[in-house]
Amino acid sequence: MAVNGGRAQDAKNKKLGKLGEKKARSYLRKNGWKTVEKNYVNPFGEVDIIARKGDVLAFIEVKTRLSDEFGAPSEAVTASRRRKYILAAKYYFAGRETDCTVRFDIIEVFRGRINCIENAFYDGGY
């Protein structure tokens, strides 16, 4: 019984996450950003959004929550997840010109509100 309940919760969380990502892309568009990639899959995992504004290219993790029972949404971006984003960015740029400033952001979607944390983490290699 718990297995089916777990699958239902996973499906609910996935749907909530997709809605959060859609809301984040809308927020970015309204603020002058162009989505370059969404759900960019690479050997290190998935990057929710890659967006460009001027000479800045941001790799963005979107975290959506309905409650703060487990803390702020951004607190769910662990050191391991941050490392994967950095490796994904390096992979993305392999064989490409890096004529931009690279940034790693987190967008929190909490109870329908958006909080964009710019430069949420940094890799000195860029």
Side-chain angles (χ1 to χ4, degrees):
M1 193 75 170
V3 172
N4 289 336
R7 280 191 221 143
Q9 187 62 45
D10 287 347
K12 187 177 177 181
N13 289 345
K14 192 171 206 90
K15 184 176 181 181
L16 179 65
K18 292 297 175 192
L19 287 171
E21 289 175 18
K22 185 176 180 181
K23 196 174 269 273
R25 286 191 308 273
S26 177
Y27 166 85
L28 289 165
R29 189 173 40 257
K30 288 176 186 173
N31 285 282
W33 289 84
K34 180 183 184 306
T35 298
V36 175
E37 300 270 356
K38 65 179 185 175
N39 306 112
Y40 169 69
V41 178
N42 62 78
F44 304 102
E46 181 181 315
V47 175
D48 293 330
I49 301 170
I50 302 173
R52 180 182 281 274
K53 183 176 182 180
D55 71 339
V56 176
L57 191 70
F59 289 75
I60 304 166
E61 172 78 352
V62 180
K63 286 296 180 190
T64 307
R65 297 287 186 271
L66 296 175
S67 79
D68 58 2
E69 180 179 350
F70 298 106
S74 60
E75 292 177 44
V77 183
T78 62
S80 171
R81 188 74 187 124
R82 292 189 301 268
R83 273 192 303 279
K84 286 179 181 180
Y85 258 64
I86 291 164
L87 291 170
K90 290 179 180 182
Y91 183 85
Y92 181 83
F93 285 112
R96 295 183 194 203
E97 192 75 29
T98 50
D99 61 341
C100 59
T101 300
V102 176
R103 198 169 84 188
F104 299 93
D105 296 355
I106 298 172
I107 292 182
E108 297 178 316
V109 181
F110 181 65
R111 296 180 180 156
R113 291 166 135 163
I114 300 280
N115 178 35
C116 183
I117 305 167
E118 297 177 359
N119 292 306
F121 52 97
Y122 172 74
D123 173 49
Y126 287 103

